Amino acid sequence: VLPDILADGGPAPTSLPTGDYPSADALIGAMAGAVAGLRGRYDNIAAVGCGVPGLVDFDNGHVNHITNVAGWGNVPLRDILASKTGLPVLVDNDANCMAYAEFRHGAARGLRNVVALTLGTGIGGGLIIDGRPYRGSSGAGAEMGHVVIDGDGPPCNGNCPNRGCVEALASGTALAREGRTAAEREPDSALGRARAAGREIDGPEIVACARAGDQVAIDLLALVGRRLGVALSGLANTFDPDVIVLGGGVMDAGELLLGPARAELRRRALTPQNEVPVRAAALGADAGMIGAAILARDEISSGAEVTH
Amino acid sequence: VLPDILADGGPAPTSLPTGDYPSADALIGAMAGAVAGLRGRYDNIAAVGCGVPGLVDFDNGHVNHITNVAGWGNVPLRDILASKTGLPVLVDNDANCMAYAEFRHGAARGLRNVVALTLGTGIGGGLIIDGRPYRGSSGAGAEMGHVVIDGDGPPCNGNCPNRGCVEALASGTALAREGRTAAEREPDSALGRARAAGREIDGPEIVACARAGDQVAIDLLALVGRRLGVALSGLANTFDPDVIVLGGGVMDAGELLLGPARAELRRRALTPQNEVPVRAAALGADAGMIGAAILARDEISSGAEVTH
């Protein structure tokens, strides 16, 4: 199910580590340079699509926050990059892009109403409503990582003033936090031994321990999965979607996370919303990039304005 | 802002108390009789619209539950009523109808993306997305009364298997439950004296005490308002709507409830979603009925199928 944009002859992905660039300006300059490099190799590049892991105002193409990268408050990325490249530019939230990629070419292909979440450092959300991306009235919507599942829960990240959001309780960051606590509490578990050996107790380590049969790690992934299922029950009741698609790095846990999440959703949601399929994303880590590219192509070819 | 359907010459509302009819069949028979009576007085009745306070499958016109009325499991109301009246019939959830009425003629007039809640015995939800009612893939969506705000909270109603839904914590039923506890705990409050005098501690009694200055009742409405605000923060983050409209009997509390709800939303939601206006419904108790009528009219005149 590889999208045509990545088929033979299309541009190969180019990777720029954000950490190598000290400021938003420097990174945008490098992005423009990468675009120029691709245009030297391909003659059919018509637009640039950016999927940003953070808060984006789609309507004006501003980036208001990037998870774990400083210096991105109210940056007019779309206009700067359009000016530097001379190409039309689309800037969207990466989870919106992932949702669109899965809708066009992945786990939600051919369906109409899609709720998508990306489970990474944070939790991003993307929505397809009646076959079209839904971004809300000011272009900032679909932030389903910030629905509350425990009103008195822990504070969310610095950019979100809420407490007990599903991001605060079921993101990769939350999983790692719980993992560190569990490793300390259970020194004889595989997770505890990993800690004693000086390994970082993060999502990949927890997933590795769980896959090796460590019950502490398995229970942790199940706990986080159930928390995710609490949020999914509300989203299912609200949207009555055709499918819920879950992607992002934490989904490397596979059924260890997805099974408990699905079970909790089944237990909590109304009939018939409790029957909604919950699927792992099909396009993997490239889904956001693929979605940004095809969104830029589709929104330009449909005549929608994507740059000033 | 009175809708044209209720302007001079339109049919006057007819009221049938559900409690007078021992079964769904009997009530549907009485509804058909009321329609026949109206057709004897008006010659321009083109369709019947039903706004049902419960779970409705819009696509097939089945009613799966009516709050506080037994005997409504999987009743094909649309087809029965169409057969009895010979008219096209539309059956929708009453909160969807209320949302549509407020969108066409009320507090959300002229806007595009609208989240509406009806605060009564339960909490109903209605959505307008991009100027059209959104009902989900199987016609059962927009049940925002059943988003969780406390995963370990009290069980919801018998029809909803969830715990800690906003309906379980901020509906009229929840308000009355908390009111009875508070009246017992605070015998010297106005609420406590009302209880001692044998009055029923329900929503209207709590609102009356709060309006008379009773701090216990005022605090209760604020508590329920804040819980509502927790749910609203998630809905605002998700939909980034133009407006949130709150209606239903509990809204008789006015700013005593709406103020704390709005403040909690402002405190918890992301920027710019935290700025979404939160308005009281403009069409009052008739909003559901008005919405059902104009939905039936609009969906018929647009050629959409409303009956088999």
Side-chain angles (χ1 to χ4, degrees):
Chain A
V1 203
L2 266 185
D4 52 352
I5 198 155
L6 289 186
D8 285 351
T14 299
S15 185
L16 303 171
T18 53
D20 292 357
Y21 302 91
S23 68
D25 272 355
L27 181 54
I28 298 172
M31 290 163 69
V35 171
L38 287 166
R39 294 179 87 182
R41 289 158 54 203
Y42 304 97
D43 59 8
N44 58 348
I45 294 179
V48 178
C50 301
V52 178
L55 299 180
V56 172
D57 184 331
F58 178 78
D59 290 348
N60 64 15
H62 285 209
V63 174
N64 293 315
H65 172 77
I66 296 187
T67 307
N68 286 346
V69 184
W72 282 84
N74 203 25
V75 173
L77 175 61
R78 185 184 67 188
D79 291 350
I80 298 175
L81 202 54
S83 153
K84 283 185 189 292
T85 62
L87 287 168
V89 174
L90 176 141
V91 176
D92 205 344
N93 175 281
D94 69 333
N96 291 355
C97 294
M98 173 275 212
Y100 192 70
E102 294 289 334
F103 162 66
R104 288 291 309 279
H105 300 287
R109 191 171 190 164
L111 300 175
R112 214 173 82 229
N113 297 307
V114 181
V115 172
L117 297 179
T118 55
L119 312 175
T121 308
I123 295 185
L127 289 170
I128 304 293
I129 298 288
D130 214 9
R132 288 182 303 175
Y134 178 80
R135 302 184 180 95
S137 291
S138 60
E143 286 291 350
M144 283 91 72
H146 303 283
V147 299
V148 174
I149 60 172
D150 176 3
D152 297 322
C156 197
N157 69 54
N159 190 65
C160 170
N162 217 336
R163 307 186 72 87
C165 298
V166 64
E167 171 165 318
L169 285 160
S171 61
T173 307
L175 174 63
R177 187 184 62 226
E178 306 269 6
R180 288 191 296 270
T181 306
E184 200 173 334
R185 194 183 58 228
E186 306 278 359
D188 297 334
S189 67
L191 212 58
R193 291 192 303 271
R195 174 176 178 267
R199 288 212 294 280
E200 192 185 344
I201 305 301
D202 54 7
E205 182 65 41
I206 295 166
V207 171
C209 287
R211 288 206 186 289
D214 181 32
Q215 197 59 47
V216 170
I218 292 171
D219 289 350
L220 259 184
L221 290 171
L223 170 69
V224 167
R226 287 195 303 274
R227 289 173 177 173
L228 192 61
V230 175
L232 296 185
S233 73
L235 294 171
N237 288 338
T238 297
F239 287 101
D240 181 16
D242 295 304
V243 68
I244 295 175
V245 178
L246 304 180
V250 177
M251 277 300 292
D252 289 346
E255 283 296 320
L256 290 166
L257 184 90
L258 194 52
R262 199 186 274 127
E264 193 73 13
L265 163 63
R266 301 269 177 272
R267 199 158 30 234
R268 287 178 177 263
L270 296 165
T271 303
Q273 288 97 317
N274 55 358
E275 289 168 15
V276 62
V278 182
R279 295 185 192 151
L283 298 176
D286 288 343
M289 190 170 59
I290 294 168
I294 58 179
L295 263 174
R297 183 195 60 192
D298 293 354
E299 305 237 343
I300 286 164
S301 70
S302 73
E305 182 195 359
V306 294
T307 183
H308 285 303
Chain B
V1 202
L2 263 186
D4 51 353
I5 199 159
L6 290 184
D8 287 351
T14 299
S15 184
L16 303 171
T18 53
D20 292 358
Y21 301 91
S23 68
D25 273 355
L27 181 54
I28 299 172
M31 290 164 69
V35 171
L38 289 166
R39 295 180 87 183
R41 287 156 58 200
Y42 304 96
D43 59 8
N44 58 349
I45 294 179
V48 178
C50 301
V52 178
L55 299 180
V56 171
D57 185 331
F58 179 79
D59 290 346
N60 64 15
H62 285 208
V63 174
N64 294 316
H65 172 76
I66 298 188
T67 307
N68 286 347
V69 183
W72 282 84
N74 203 25
V75 173
L77 175 60
R78 184 184 68 187
D79 291 349
I80 299 175
L81 203 54
S83 152
K84 281 184 190 293
T85 62
L87 287 168
V89 174
L90 176 142
V91 175
D92 206 343
N93 175 280
D94 69 332
N96 290 356
C97 295
M98 172 275 212
Y100 193 70
E102 294 289 334
F103 163 65
R104 289 291 309 277
H105 300 287
R109 190 170 190 165
L111 300 175
R112 212 173 83 228
N113 297 309
V114 182
V115 172
L117 297 178
T118 55
L119 312 174
T121 308
I123 296 186
L127 289 170
I128 305 293
I129 298 288
D130 213 9
R132 288 181 304 176
Y134 178 80
R135 301 182 181 98
S137 291
S138 60
E143 286 291 348
M144 284 91 72
H146 303 283
V147 298
V148 174
I149 59 173
D150 176 4
D152 296 321
C156 196
N157 70 55
N159 190 67
C160 170
N162 218 335
R163 307 186 72 89
C165 298
V166 64
E167 171 164 317
L169 285 161
S171 62
T173 306
L175 175 64
R177 186 185 63 228
E178 305 270 6
R180 288 190 296 271
T181 305
E184 200 174 333
R185 192 185 58 230
E186 305 278 358
D188 296 334
S189 67
L191 213 57
R193 292 193 302 273
R195 174 177 177 268
R199 288 210 295 279
E200 192 185 343
I201 305 301
D202 55 7
E205 182 66 40
I206 294 165
V207 171
C209 287
R211 288 207 186 289
D214 181 33
Q215 196 59 45
V216 170
I218 291 170
D219 290 348
L220 259 183
L221 290 172
L223 171 69
V224 167
R226 288 195 302 274
R227 289 174 176 173
L228 193 60
V230 174
L232 296 185
S233 73
L235 294 171
N237 288 339
T238 297
F239 288 101
D240 181 15
D242 294 304
V243 68
I244 296 175
V245 179
L246 303 179
V250 176
M251 277 300 292
D252 289 347
E255 283 297 321
L256 290 166
L257 185 88
L258 194 52
R262 201 186 274 125
E264 194 73 13
L265 162 64
R266 301 271 177 269
R267 199 158 28 233
R268 286 179 177 263
L270 296 165
T271 303
Q273 288 97 318
N274 56 357
E275 288 168 13
V276 61
V278 183
R279 295 184 191 152
L283 298 175
D286 288 343
M289 189 168 61
I290 293 167
I294 60 180
L295 264 175
R297 183 196 60 192
D298 293 354
E299 304 237 343
I300 287 164
S301 70
S302 72
E305 183 195 0
V306 295
T307 182
H308 286 301

